[in-house]
Every structure is written in C-alpha cells, then in structure tokens.
Amino acid sequence: MSEQSSMDAALRKRLYWHSRRGMWELDLLLIPFLEQCYDALSEADQAAYRSLIDEEDQDLFAWLMRREWPEEPVRRRIVQMIVEHAEHPDSAAHRPV
C-alpha cells in the first residue's frame, strides 16, 4: 500500500467517524452521502463537506431537515447536495432499515 493510499484510507475513516452523529436522522443522511457521493465531488465540495461535519448537531439537523438554510453559499450548496441525494429515489435502496 502506497503512502498516498494509506493517507486516503485514514481520511476516509476519519470522515466516516465524524459523519456518524448522535442523531439517527443525521446518520441516515450523512453516511450514505459520504459513501455514495463524496469521491465524485470536486475538491471544493469535498472541503465543504469536511467543514460541514465539524458543525454542531443541532445546526446540521436544522439545515438537513430544511428548517433553515446556512447563510454561507458554500455551506448551503453542500447541504442542498446532501438533501437532494437523500430525496433521490435511487438513494432509498442504500438506506439502512
């Protein structure tokens, strides 16, 4: 295993760990998005996701449940991407029961 692939694996584990939240509703949105979409994102969107998961659960919940939207355009974009992914009919097959 190369040094780069080791670093990528470590980053993926960290992202997965930080995507697991204290709220089941957030887990159902963040983990499938990470597993199914993260690798295909642009570097800027990947950075936005990494920044997003550092936010407090109550803020994430409000944004991802569409009760309010983040003020920052970059953060709003990644939140909208996660919500759209969760609402897409094809993503239902990947949700845990």
Side-chain angles (χ1 to χ4, degrees):
M1 185 179 279
S2 73
E3 185 176 335
Q4 183 61 41
S5 61
S6 293
M7 289 173 37
D8 291 344
L11 174 62
R12 175 58 69 143
K13 287 179 184 178
R14 185 185 74 77
L15 288 173
Y16 184 84
W17 180 254
H18 288 286
S19 294
R20 293 184 64 222
R21 311 304 288 205
M23 299 175 75
W24 181 245
E25 296 88 348
L26 296 179
D27 291 352
L28 289 175
L29 296 171
L30 295 173
I31 292 172
F33 183 81
L34 173 68
E35 292 175 341
Q36 298 161 23
C37 301
Y38 181 82
D39 292 334
L41 297 176
S42 68
E43 286 186 36
D45 288 336
Q46 287 180 353
Y49 183 84
R50 291 190 305 269
S51 174
L52 180 72
I53 60 175
D54 287 336
E55 293 292 334
E56 296 293 328
D57 284 355
Q58 66 269 14
D59 293 329
L60 289 172
F61 185 80
W63 297 334
L64 294 172
M65 296 296 119
R66 294 189 285 166
R67 293 184 177 163
E68 57 187 63
W69 292 105
E71 292 181 18
E72 304 89 5
V74 172
R75 182 143 300 145
R76 182 178 300 200
R77 173 179 160 77
I78 195 68
V79 167
Q80 288 174 326
M81 291 171 76
I82 294 167
V83 169
E84 287 171 7
H85 176 262
E87 292 175 346
H88 194 276
D90 291 340
S91 70
H94 301 287
R95 288 187 200 122
V97 177

